[in-house]
Amino acid sequence: MSAIPTHVLAEISALVGNDQITTRHEDLHCYSYDGTATPHLPEAVVLPKTTKQVSGIMQLASRYAFAVTPRGAGSGMTGGVVPLRGGLVMAMTRMNRIIEVDAANQIAIVEPGVVTGDLQRAVKRHRLFYPPDPASLKYCTIGGNAAECAGGPSAVKYGVTKDYIIGLEVVLPSGEIITTGARTEKSVTGYDLTRLFIGSEGTLGIITRLTLRLLPLPPHKETFLLTSTSLQRTTEMVSEILNAHIKPCTLEYLDRTTIGVVSKFLTTPPTAETEALLIVEIDGERPVVEEQARRLQRLLAEQPEFSVRQASNDREVEEIWQARRAISPSVLTLRPNKISEDVAVPRSRIPELVSFTEHLARDLGLLILTFGHAGDGNIHVNIMLDRSNPEEADRGQQAKARLFRKALDLGGTLSGEHGIGFSKAPYLGEELNEATIALMKRIKDLFDPKHILNPGKIFPQS
Amino acid sequence: MSAIPTHVLAEISALVGNDQITTRHEDLHCYSYDGTATPHLPEAVVLPKTTKQVSGIMQLASRYAFAVTPRGAGSGMTGGVVPLRGGLVMAMTRMNRIIEVDAANQIAIVEPGVVTGDLQRAVKRHRLFYPPDPASLKYCTIGGNAAECAGGPSAVKYGVTKDYIIGLEVVLPSGEIITTGARTEKSVTGYDLTRLFIGSEGTLGIITRLTLRLLPLPPHKETFLLTSTSLQRTTEMVSEILNAHIKPCTLEYLDRTTIGVVSKFLTTPPTAETEALLIVEIDGERPVVEEQARRLQRLLAEQPEFSVRQASNDREVEEIWQARRAISPSVLTLRPNKISEDVAVPRSRIPELVSFTEHLARDLGLLILTFGHAGDGNIHVNIMLDRSNPEEADRGQQAKARLFRKALDLGGTLSGEHGIGFSKAPYLGEELNEATIALMKRIKDLFDPKHILNPGKIFPQS
């Protein structure tokens, strides 16, 4: 990969303005990492404000063949925004306008730098609802969510980011500007390029505008905290709830160790006998919610391993969510480092996956936590370790490899919502066959023949 | 395009068996057309039974560069399965096994030749639900539905075919076999190739297996027939219903002429003052359905232009649906031919689109019917004519071109669910910009460098 010639930095500066590009060492540090905590320094950071600027920068990148790594807030978990080959980081955070909320047609048009939580609040004023809710929603951006196809707890009922994006404007590595999709929910004009960009982790193009579909805001919600004395029964309960025709909008699970880490956020911490928690939320029209809540209570009344508490006010709900969202940052109080994985399995196989991780922890002498989106089989597995101990780091890598193999054996996938980035790239061939990977690589070559856009991601490096 | 060499026909015959290939003139006729009624004869028809056979045939097609047009039941509306360049038609109708229904994980794995209605019945036995319901569901196939991304009345609540396909097995033009997606609802491993194939109209690969996601069967449904004395108020009512937080699973509209064509299917035909009908269905848990039904009745009680009849038994529901599904075949009693379009617009713009078609009909002296999926803005416009009259056929083409322009002006799309095929291909550039079409063409070239797969579709022919 070429370095960025000095005169090109000047050209970019002229294009975007002096205050939208930096090469100061302190600034470069801020744009060198994501949730994987494996920093690589870029040569420069640019913060474009318009699609035209993005296009101009890509024309230069194409001509001089330097790497460009687009990014949002950098909250990713697989290294998607880490500028592995140096070059230019393109931070989309200043393209952060909500251009339009079309309430009559339940559509929003936004720039990629809009913070997910800000969008949710903005559409709520129109009694509308943007469901995807990654744990980082207070700072992550819609563009980053789209690039990684972010999920979140609500996915069990509402699906993930891709289910809410109906059109895109994208700048290709060549600088060409294309549009995909339509303003209507149904459109079959030509190939579905929208979905090809979503989840492509910034390797095919840079998203500069998104058309989002919205839902009517559910008028009512109830939140339940289920405390269980049996891990096995808790993971089984996930399918039992869904098969009882209860359709929760949250079905989150926390194992014993995870509970220990976040119990300080709860006014009434779980008792010592607690082996697992389930957070269950039901939303919708009030009569439906009430009917489903009764069904849940009936189902659980027959289960001696469970006790149920229904949140009686917003403060109690907020407390539960504060604890849930604090998991990722808080686990580092246990050990200095973590390998954070998000395999998904068909949900009937969750009990097997979770008991396998217990076995793995014992076998390798590691602390392993499991929690996350049980309702859609997307279990977050945190392998805790101290990277400064090479032997322990090696055991961590062994645990990760065995976890992936098990998830695939159970009919699952390497990643439910975090993406492949560089951290899972070496394992791609365990899930996809050779012909499939070869086709994906040919698509990458077609879009980005010089491999300037986010190099080193998704595909195993030779 | 090359003809199929005789020795290659013998090789294909050896590969699939004598009874799975035909060159008899009578047979070729049966595989020469679809709903557009513009037949082109193929040279041979093959009916493979396995993925391996499909792969073997494509290897031969690739080597000898002859055209292959895959098809299901041929119920398409834009010429997607018409073998424009002769060659081989590959009918997938004998690959029609439902391989697995995994009720615990709400997944089905099927071959492409499974008839949509058969699948719906099969999963219903597990209390599960496959929502997409094109009007041709009694004979169209899942593979064809996937290739065109078929919709149907239920799309207003449940989405279209693409929303229910989470994985594919596909044979590429080279004969390579790839797999896409996963068995889990969430998966972000590599590029989303599933969606790239869905709606690609058999131009990128041949779908040989599909993993479908299913929903719990809604336990209750109510059906309403709304009779209106005002077309304008009817098209406005579509948004009013949805904005009143009523979430119907059907919101179909029929204009006066359409009603005339199918009123013979109704025991109580609408009165002479009727200008339009709306079919509204609400499904779900009984208390929800009842609450939403009350809301609908309250909304309509204030509207002097509407009267409401609630179907009181299955026979009445069946009668309404028989009338709705009979529209497409029945309109040909009015005039010998039709141009059948399915533009979609943001639903707040439906009144403008419908009043434009009225203006168009007067202006060009043509009979034009409108009906269809008003809930998602996907209006079926049938331009009736006699093709044997060249001047009238020309006026029909003018009407079509003006309709497309209007739909795009209103923020809409050329096709909501029928695809582009060859009938809309000349208009692609009116919706998509040059860079976008160029990119789609490069994707086509990448997948199918010899353009052997379904040639002449989607892209304007030079």
Side-chain angles (χ1 to χ4, degrees):
Chain A
M1 216 79 249
S2 314
I4 312 174
T6 314
H7 72 92
V8 174
L9 285 176
E11 277 189 65
I12 297 173
S13 184
L15 199 65
V16 299
N18 279 339
D19 54 340
Q20 285 168 242
I21 181 165
T22 175
T23 53
R24 279 163 40 113
H25 200 69
E26 309 86 291
D27 293 339
L28 300 185
H29 264 288
C30 300
Y31 293 92
S32 67
Y33 65 92
D34 74 348
T36 53
T38 46
H40 285 255
L41 282 186
E43 296 165 56
V45 177
V46 65
L47 298 104
K49 285 191 174 168
T50 68
T51 301
K52 214 176 143 194
Q53 290 177 356
V54 175
S55 168
I57 295 164
M58 291 316 298
Q59 287 172 40
L60 289 168
S62 229
R63 191 176 321 144
Y64 297 99
F66 57 84
V68 177
T69 301
R71 63 172 273 152
S75 56
M77 306 292 267
T78 57
V81 302
V82 178
L84 289 181
R85 308 278 187 274
L88 190 66
V89 160
M90 192 186 292
M92 306 305 286
T93 42
R94 289 188 188 169
M95 288 181 71
N96 63 350
R97 288 180 307 151
I98 296 175
I99 295 165
E100 184 187 349
V101 177
D102 174 355
N105 293 302
Q106 301 178 351
I107 281 169
I109 297 181
V110 303
E111 290 183 329
V114 171
V115 170
T116 310
D118 291 349
L119 175 76
Q120 289 182 333
R121 266 194 306 279
V123 303
K124 199 171 177 178
R125 286 195 286 272
H126 301 268
R127 291 183 64 208
L128 291 170
F129 178 39
Y130 176 75
D133 55 351
S136 51
L137 63 84
K138 285 183 183 165
Y139 54 101
C140 67
T141 65
I142 293 287
N145 292 173
E148 298 293 330
C149 192
S154 77
V156 61
K157 177 170 180 180
Y158 291 107
V160 295
T161 301
K162 65 183 174 187
D163 298 309
Y164 294 89
I165 301 183
I166 60 174
L168 293 173
E169 177 188 76
V170 178
V171 176
L172 299 181
S174 61
E176 284 171 293
I177 301 163
I178 66 157
T179 56
T180 76
R183 210 189 158 98
T184 53
E185 287 211 20
K186 283 160 109 177
S187 172
V188 290
T189 302
Y191 300 142
D192 189 341
L193 299 182
T194 308
R195 281 291 179 98
L196 191 58
F197 287 107
I198 298 172
S200 71
E201 310 194 28
T203 64
L204 298 179
I206 298 174
I207 296 169
T208 48
R209 190 174 281 209
L210 306 96
T211 304
L212 308 174
R213 77 183 190 95
L214 306 169
L215 297 181
L217 190 67
H220 190 65
K221 189 190 286 198
E222 293 290 345
T223 303
F224 302 85
L225 192 63
L226 280 52
T227 312
S228 168
T229 54
S230 162
L231 179 62
Q232 172 78 17
R233 285 296 297 133
T234 306
T235 54
E236 288 167 359
M237 184 50 65
V238 172
S239 283
E240 289 170 29
I241 288 172
L242 291 162
N243 292 338
H245 284 246
I246 298 163
K247 188 80 186 162
C249 61
T250 299
L251 188 37
E252 292 287 300
Y253 138 84
L254 285 70
D255 77 355
R256 186 186 177 89
T257 316
T258 310
I259 297 166
V261 170
V262 296
S263 64
K264 62 172 178 284
F265 293 95
L266 299 170
T267 315
T268 320
T271 59
E273 296 75 46
T274 305
E275 289 293 331
L277 292 181
L278 283 178
I279 306 170
V280 183
E281 289 192 316
I282 302 169
D283 70 356
E285 300 285 332
R286 185 183 282 272
V288 195
V289 174
E290 286 169 355
E291 164 62 24
Q292 297 240 320
R294 278 192 297 273
R295 202 174 285 191
L296 179 69
Q297 298 274 17
R298 273 200 303 274
L299 176 69
L300 289 163
E302 301 156 11
Q303 317 289 334
E305 303 89 351
F306 289 88
S307 66
V308 190
R309 191 160 61 81
Q310 183 164 2
S312 56
N313 57 48
D314 287 351
R315 197 189 45 72
E316 286 183 34
V317 173
E318 190 40 48
E319 184 184 296
I320 291 170
W321 279 105
Q322 205 182 339
R324 168 63 187 87
R325 296 207 174 106
I327 295 172
S328 275
S330 302
V331 292
L332 293 173
T333 57
L334 297 172
R335 303 282 295 154
N337 308 107
K338 62 172 173 169
I339 299 173
S340 169
E341 295 306 337
D342 76 314
V343 294
V345 295
R347 64 171 175 261
S348 67
R349 315 303 292 269
I350 296 173
E352 286 163 87
L353 183 77
V354 169
S355 77
F356 175 80
T357 62
E358 291 193 294
H359 160 79
L360 201 57
R362 277 194 306 274
D363 197 40
L364 291 169
L366 289 167
L367 181 63
I368 302 182
L369 289 68
T370 55
F371 63 94
H373 318 313
D376 43 39
N378 187 197
I379 301 293
H380 292 340
V381 179
N382 280 2
I383 304 162
M384 305 309 302
L385 44 81
D386 180 352
R387 271 193 199 134
S388 69
N389 176 344
E391 185 276 328
E392 191 171 324
D394 181 64
R395 271 185 285 141
Q397 290 303 319
Q398 281 178 54
K400 174 171 157 173
R402 286 169 65 181
L403 171 70
F404 286 162
R405 217 166 305 129
K406 184 68 181 184
L408 294 171
D409 284 349
L410 294 173
T413 180
L414 293 177
S415 178
E417 57 183 21
H418 290 172
I420 300 299
F422 66 80
S423 69
K424 302 191 191 192
Y427 302 92
L428 196 70
E430 299 204 13
E431 179 164 345
L432 304 178
N433 73 16
E434 225 171 282
T436 307
I437 294 177
L439 180 61
M440 289 182 183
K441 280 184 166 176
R442 291 201 300 270
I443 291 173
K444 168 68 178 172
D445 291 344
L446 177 74
F447 280 70
D448 183 16
K450 294 182 181 171
H451 287 213
I452 54 174
L453 202 55
N454 206 2
K457 307 298 164 62
I458 299 181
F459 301 107
Q461 301 301 301
S462 44
Chain B
M1 212 83 244
S2 314
I4 312 174
T6 314
H7 73 93
V8 174
L9 284 176
E11 277 189 65
I12 296 174
S13 184
L15 198 66
V16 299
N18 280 338
D19 55 340
Q20 285 169 241
I21 181 165
T22 176
T23 54
R24 279 164 39 113
H25 201 71
E26 309 87 291
D27 294 339
L28 299 186
H29 263 288
C30 299
Y31 292 92
S32 67
Y33 65 93
D34 74 346
T36 52
T38 46
H40 284 255
L41 282 185
E43 295 165 57
V45 176
V46 66
L47 299 104
K49 285 190 172 168
T50 67
T51 302
K52 214 175 142 193
Q53 290 176 355
V54 175
S55 169
I57 295 163
M58 291 316 299
Q59 287 173 41
L60 290 168
S62 228
R63 192 175 321 144
Y64 296 100
F66 57 83
V68 177
T69 302
R71 62 172 273 153
S75 55
M77 306 292 268
T78 57
V81 304
V82 178
L84 290 182
R85 308 277 187 273
L88 190 67
V89 160
M90 191 185 292
M92 306 306 287
T93 43
R94 290 189 187 170
M95 289 181 71
N96 63 350
R97 288 180 308 149
I98 295 174
I99 295 164
E100 183 187 350
V101 177
D102 173 355
N105 293 303
Q106 302 177 352
I107 281 168
I109 297 181
V110 304
E111 289 184 330
V114 171
V115 170
T116 310
D118 292 349
L119 174 76
Q120 289 183 331
R121 267 195 304 280
V123 304
K124 199 172 178 177
R125 287 194 286 272
H126 300 269
R127 292 184 62 208
L128 292 170
F129 177 39
Y130 176 75
D133 55 351
S136 52
L137 63 85
K138 285 182 183 165
Y139 54 100
C140 67
T141 65
I142 293 287
N145 292 172
E148 298 293 330
C149 192
S154 77
V156 61
K157 178 170 180 180
Y158 290 108
V160 295
T161 301
K162 65 183 174 187
D163 298 309
Y164 294 88
I165 301 184
I166 59 173
L168 294 173
E169 178 188 75
V170 178
V171 176
L172 299 181
S174 61
E176 285 171 294
I177 301 164
I178 65 157
T179 57
T180 75
R183 209 188 157 97
T184 53
E185 287 210 22
K186 281 160 111 176
S187 172
V188 288
T189 302
Y191 299 142
D192 189 340
L193 298 182
T194 307
R195 281 291 180 97
L196 191 58
F197 287 107
I198 297 173
S200 71
E201 310 194 29
T203 63
L204 298 179
I206 298 174
I207 295 169
T208 49
R209 188 174 282 209
L210 306 97
T211 304
L212 308 174
R213 78 183 188 94
L214 306 169
L215 298 180
L217 190 67
H220 190 65
K221 189 191 286 197
E222 293 291 345
T223 303
F224 302 84
L225 192 64
L226 279 52
T227 312
S228 168
T229 53
S230 162
L231 179 61
Q232 173 77 16
R233 285 296 298 134
T234 306
T235 54
E236 288 166 358
M237 184 50 64
V238 172
S239 284
E240 289 170 27
I241 289 173
L242 292 162
N243 292 338
H245 284 247
I246 297 164
K247 188 78 186 162
C249 61
T250 300
L251 188 38
E252 292 287 301
Y253 138 83
L254 285 70
D255 76 356
R256 186 187 177 88
T257 316
T258 310
I259 297 165
V261 171
V262 296
S263 65
K264 62 172 177 284
F265 293 95
L266 299 170
T267 315
T268 320
T271 59
E273 295 75 45
T274 305
E275 290 292 331
L277 292 181
L278 283 179
I279 307 170
V280 183
E281 290 192 316
I282 301 169
D283 70 355
E285 301 285 334
R286 187 184 280 272
V288 195
V289 174
E290 286 168 355
E291 164 61 25
Q292 297 240 320
R294 277 193 296 273
R295 202 173 287 191
L296 178 69
Q297 298 274 17
R298 272 200 305 273
L299 176 68
L300 289 163
E302 301 156 10
Q303 317 289 335
E305 303 89 352
F306 290 89
S307 66
V308 190
R309 192 159 61 81
Q310 182 164 2
S312 55
N313 56 48
D314 288 351
R315 194 188 47 71
E316 286 183 34
V317 173
E318 189 42 48
E319 185 184 295
I320 291 169
W321 279 105
Q322 205 182 336
R324 168 63 187 88
R325 296 207 174 104
I327 295 172
S328 275
S330 302
V331 292
L332 293 173
T333 57
L334 296 173
R335 304 283 294 154
N337 307 108
K338 61 172 173 170
I339 299 174
S340 170
E341 295 305 337
D342 76 314
V343 294
V345 294
R347 65 172 174 263
S348 67
R349 316 302 292 268
I350 296 174
E352 284 163 87
L353 182 77
V354 169
S355 77
F356 175 79
T357 63
E358 290 192 296
H359 160 78
L360 202 58
R362 277 194 306 274
D363 197 40
L364 291 168
L366 289 167
L367 182 63
I368 303 182
L369 288 68
T370 56
F371 63 95
H373 318 314
D376 43 39
N378 186 196
I379 301 294
H380 292 339
V381 180
N382 281 2
I383 303 163
M384 305 309 302
L385 44 80
D386 181 351
R387 273 197 197 129
S388 68
N389 176 344
E391 185 276 330
E392 190 171 326
D394 181 64
R395 270 185 287 141
Q397 289 303 320
Q398 281 179 53
K400 174 171 157 174
R402 285 169 65 181
L403 172 69
F404 287 162
R405 218 165 308 130
K406 185 67 181 183
L408 295 172
D409 283 349
L410 294 173
T413 181
L414 291 177
S415 178
E417 57 184 21
H418 290 173
I420 300 298
F422 67 80
S423 69
K424 301 191 192 194
Y427 302 92
L428 196 69
E430 299 205 14
E431 179 165 346
L432 305 179
N433 73 16
E434 223 171 283
T436 307
I437 294 176
L439 180 62
M440 289 182 182
K441 281 185 166 176
R442 291 200 301 268
I443 291 173
K444 168 69 178 173
D445 291 344
L446 177 75
F447 280 71
D448 183 16
K450 294 182 182 172
H451 287 213
I452 55 176
L453 203 55
N454 206 5
K457 307 298 164 64
I458 299 181
F459 301 106
Q461 301 301 299
S462 45

